[in-house]
Amino acid sequence: GVPCHPWFMVKDWDGNVSLPLKTLFCQEMIKHGVLMPWLAVSFRHGAQELAKTEEALEASLAVLAKAVD
């Protein structure tokens, strides 16, 4: 099966949990149309939803990378 985690942690370069970075990540995902406070795969998600999530992840992680740098 697919592991389901009701939450996830965003850490800084020092390995510390960063709520500001998690907030930025969630903000960027919402900006791209995906409400994603945690990771949970569902069989209700089809190819279109997964593709939209992937696009949002790529854009959001790029912003997050700039913030960390």
Side-chain angles (χ1 to χ4, degrees), residues 2-56:
V2 177
C4 178
H5 301 283
W7 51 272
F8 64 98
M9 293 180 282
V10 177
K11 296 182 179 182
D12 61 20
W13 282 116
D14 296 324
N16 300 311
V17 174
S18 174
L19 293 178
L21 288 176
K22 181 176 180 179
T23 299
L24 178 61
F25 173 74
C26 290
Q27 171 188 299
E28 291 300 312
M29 290 297 287
I30 291 168
K31 182 176 168 183
H32 293 283
V34 177
L35 179 59
M36 190 171 167
W38 59 80
L39 301 172
V41 177
S42 168
F43 286 112
R44 297 282 297 169
H45 297 137
Q48 183 178 355
E49 291 83 9
L50 293 175
K52 182 174 185 165
T53 302
E54 182 180 17
E55 290 171 11

